[in-house]
Amino acid sequence: MKTIAINQYGSAEEFKEIEMAKPQPKSDEVLVEIHAFSINPMDIAGRAGMLGSPFTDNWSFPLVLGWDFSGVVVEVGSDVEGYAKGDKVFGSASSSHSSDNGTYGEYIAVDNTELTHIPDGLTFDQAAALPIAGVTAYYGMKHNLDLQAGQKIFVAGGAGGVGLFAVQIAKAFGAYVATTSSENHRQLLEDLGVDEVIDYHKVSAVDVLHDFDAVFDTVGDVDTGLKVLKSDGKLATIATQPTEEQKHDQQKQVAFQFTYGTGADLDALAELVLNGKLKLMVETMPFSAENVIKAHQTIEGHHTTGKIVIHVKD
């Protein structure tokens, strides 16, 4: 199969088109012919050699990166139930996927931990944009912060890949949503229903936000989040490890979020898209080493709004 892989850690220019054997599915896995995959900041960290265990436990070179994907099932393991050859599916590869079994290729073998069927009305490109960023945001709102209608949440970094999902999911849950962004993203965020957009270049969130029920931090600024949070509120961060002092600020629940997504979470995200409550901002590029290089460079330069999806086949 054709893959876009690296032979050593380094810059985006390390990506090359490499022919590799198809991964062989285990008894509890399905083999999926990939139609699209999306690129996440963790892909950049992996390419640069900045990820540790469990991600790198089964890695060697040449290395096929990538976790998010959509495609069609072409083979079903003997112990798998609920999936059949020809099913359209999307999901995320295992955190510790082997070096020949990332999503930057034409096939991937996966179990059903974070896998589900693509519903009618959702394209392969849209589905591939959902798993990691979408599930991270949904897990934070639903499971970690237990966000309820009528509550107030501050999303630090609302225009980033995860932040755009988070502000929309929070609004779908019926919350009052405030966020920080640069001024050039204000209109976009207001169009998505955000109640309060703060230009972090000019105003500190601490000066205008008080007694919020929840904080979802995507930028690594726990101190600001704590000052915005009420005394018994909840804060989840995906960007940094809170200090012991931060964890014991009054009665506040403060924690780094470990995301354990499921197929049910993906189903919920797809339903939000189909109901018009979650708008996907997707830039699609054809499958090539040149476009993977360009996508990595664009994300590294913080020039993205939404998700970059690599379209493999129709």
Side-chain angles (χ1 to χ4, degrees), residues 1-7 14-23 34 37 62-65 99-108 287-290 292 310 312:
M1 68 171 179
K2 183 166 69 174
T3 70
I4 310 299
I6 59 173
N7 282 308
E14 294 297 333
F15 284 111
K16 301 290 188 296
E17 184 177 316
I18 297 176
E19 285 290 330
M20 300 176 71
K22 287 184 200 176
I34 294 175
F37 62 85
L63 171 62
V64 183
L65 290 163
S99 58
D100 64 347
N101 199 36
T103 61
Y104 292 15
E106 294 179 308
Y107 294 89
I108 188 167
F287 184 47
S288 70
E290 291 76 15
V292 169
I310 303 298
V312 181

Side-chain angles (χ1 to χ4, degrees), residues 197-215:
V197 181
I198 300 161
D199 182 353
Y200 63 87
H201 292 295
K202 299 177 180 177
V203 180
S204 171
V206 175
D207 295 333
V208 292
L209 304 180
H210 308 283
D211 297 318
F212 270 56
D213 301 283
V215 171

Side-chain angles (χ1 to χ4, degrees), residues 25-44:
K26 300 174 184 176
S27 61
D28 63 345
E29 294 179 330
V30 296
L31 182 66
V32 177
E33 184 178 33
I34 294 175
H35 284 229
F37 62 85
S38 68
I39 296 175
N40 295 285
M42 65 187 290
D43 299 17
I44 280 78

Side-chain angles (χ1 to χ4, degrees), residues 163-209:
L164 280 171
F165 281 105
V167 295
Q168 294 184 81
I169 293 167
K171 288 303 300 181
F173 281 19
Y176 177 94
V177 179
T179 193
T180 48
S181 79
S182 58
E183 187 62 28
N184 61 312
H185 289 120
R186 174 181 295 277
Q187 191 61 55
L188 167 64
L189 289 164
E190 289 179 347
D191 290 345
L192 293 175
V194 174
D195 299 284
E196 198 167 352
V197 181
I198 300 161
D199 182 353
Y200 63 87
H201 292 295
K202 299 177 180 177
V203 180
S204 171
V206 175
D207 295 333
V208 292
L209 304 180

Side-chain angles (χ1 to χ4, degrees), residues 100-149:
D100 64 347
N101 199 36
T103 61
Y104 292 15
E106 294 179 308
Y107 294 89
I108 188 167
V110 292
D111 63 27
N112 64 356
T113 300
E114 194 172 330
L115 182 74
T116 195
H117 295 87
I118 298 178
D120 291 341
L122 198 67
T123 69
F124 285 112
D125 291 345
Q126 288 175 319
L130 284 172
I132 287 180
V135 168
T136 297
Y138 184 82
Y139 191 91
M141 302 303 111
K142 176 72 173 180
H143 305 294
N144 210 342
L145 297 173
D146 189 26
L147 190 65
Q148 302 295 313

